Amino acid sequence: MRRWMEKDHAVFPEVSPEAVNVDTGQVEALITYLQEETAAAGIPGFAMVATCQGKCFLEHFEGTYCGIGDKNLPFHRDVVHRAYSFSKPVSATLVMQLYQEGLLDIDLPVQAYIPEFKGGGKDALTLRHFLTHSAGLPSLTSDVPTEAAWQASVEEACAAEVEWEPGSRTPYHARSSLFVPAAVARIVSDNMTWAQLCRERLFEPLGMNNSYFDMPPRGTPLSITPQPAEAPAIWDDMEFGFLGHPSGGLLCTTEDMMRFLNMHLNKGRWGDVRILEEAT
């Protein structure tokens, strides 16, 4: 019988799968499958964490990850991952916090906040259009690793023309879906950086102490994916592309992901902290 947990964590009480009515055989089969993929070099390593009813019934790390100076570092629970589009619900949550506080209105035209956002079929575009991937601007190539790049991306959005009537279609807006709402969120928040906004409004209240929309502290065990041909020799040489982007630039641990997801499962509440009103 697998020993499911190696140590106790105060965040989520640890139980066996059966204790939360999860089929142990199914969980074992999943772990076995991923172990076989790792052994066959299909993947270098993997992390799995699962909760039910606020209890952790699976936490398993195996194989290796690519970090600074080494492509074969042993996987463990404190590794920080590139979250890619998991960034979107995190960013959307912050936007909706500002909405419920009356600091922005997702149904007002974007140009009410960014006057230059007009023409090209954009005049009636709202934040709701972006949040629901129906804005008709799926091809924006915004890149935001610096403040100058952020402002250039705002200018790109202001100059763009819609590809279809807003609200009529919902193809995936990979970058624009959360970038434009985040740009408005910054404007109504005294132009705080996106990283600072998320830290103060989400990460700190939720105890997500290993989540970043900027570079984490030097020495953080950071998994570099997709893996480069050679592991970076020094921290400053790392290239992260989407770093800091509201639609794809979040870095976080699996535990922080679980804190965030359980907050939503609990209808906007994490312990004694209310992040979102249930109606929001």
Side-chain angles (χ1 to χ4, degrees):
M1 179 65 183
R2 184 183 304 279
R3 189 160 67 93
W4 293 100
M5 303 299 161
E6 295 182 356
K7 57 183 178 179
D8 291 332
H9 304 306
V11 178
F12 298 103
E14 296 172 348
V15 297
S16 67
E18 295 98 328
V20 287
N21 297 316
V22 174
D23 186 337
T24 299
Q26 295 271 0
V27 178
E28 290 277 9
L30 175 59
I31 294 175
T32 298
Y33 168 73
L34 290 174
Q35 287 175 328
E36 291 172 350
E37 285 294 301
T38 303
I43 55 175
F46 62 91
M48 289 195 300
V49 180
T51 66
C52 184
Q53 303 167 16
K55 300 173 183 178
C56 184
F57 67 87
L58 170 62
E59 184 176 44
H60 190 98
F61 307 93
E62 192 157 333
T64 64
Y65 72 96
C66 177
I68 299 300
D70 194 339
K71 291 187 67 174
N72 296 291
L73 294 169
F75 231 135
H76 55 88
R77 72 186 310 270
D78 296 324
V79 173
V80 171
H81 305 266
R82 295 185 67 177
Y84 291 100
S85 282
F86 185 82
S87 309
K88 289 180 172 67
V90 173
S91 296
T93 298
L94 191 147
V95 172
M96 295 306 291
Q97 283 183 297
L98 299 176
Y99 167 75
Q100 72 182 8
E101 294 173 23
L103 296 176
L104 56 78
D105 187 335
I106 62 173
D107 291 310
L108 277 181
V110 173
Q111 64 181 264
Y113 304 99
I114 307 176
E116 299 81 9
F117 192 88
K118 59 185 178 180
K122 302 191 304 295
D123 290 355
L125 264 179
T126 66
L127 296 184
R128 187 185 293 271
H129 285 125
F130 284 101
L131 292 168
T132 56
H133 296 257
S134 62
L137 289 172
S139 303
L140 295 182
T141 58
S142 57
D143 193 19
V144 299
T146 64
E147 184 62 23
W150 183 287
Q151 295 306 321
S153 294
V154 172
E155 294 173 6
E156 178 194 5
C158 290
E161 296 186 1
V162 298
E163 298 177 30
W164 58 78
E165 181 182 354
S168 65
R169 295 175 58 195
T170 56
Y172 190 52
H173 287 47
R175 301 196 188 194
S176 62
S177 58
L178 267 301
F179 174 70
V180 173
V184 171
R186 288 190 59 194
I187 289 170
V188 302
S189 302
D190 297 323
N191 283 308
M192 292 173 62
T193 66
W194 186 246
Q196 185 179 4
L197 260 177
C198 290
R199 184 177 305 112
E200 292 187 6
R201 284 186 163 270
L202 279 179
F203 301 158
E204 290 180 356
L206 289 173
M208 294 172 63
N209 298 322
N210 296 293
S211 295
Y212 314 91
F213 269 107
D214 50 8
M215 283 300 291
R218 190 177 298 271
T220 297
L222 181 57
S223 176
I224 303 169
T225 56
Q227 290 197 0
E230 299 292 337
I234 59 174
W235 190 264
D236 294 337
D237 279 353
M238 287 190 294
E239 173 55 54
F240 285 100
F242 265 151
L243 179 65
H245 200 295
S247 290
L250 174 67
L251 305 173
C252 65
T253 59
T254 52
E255 180 182 289
D256 281 5
M257 285 183 173
M258 281 298 174
R259 287 172 178 262
F260 177 81
L261 290 169
N262 275 271
M263 175 272 292
H264 275 284
L265 285 172
N266 292 329
K267 301 179 180 180
R269 182 180 292 279
W270 173 256
D272 296 330
V273 177
R274 169 66 72 180
I275 298 296
L276 292 177
E277 298 299 326
E278 188 172 342
T280 304

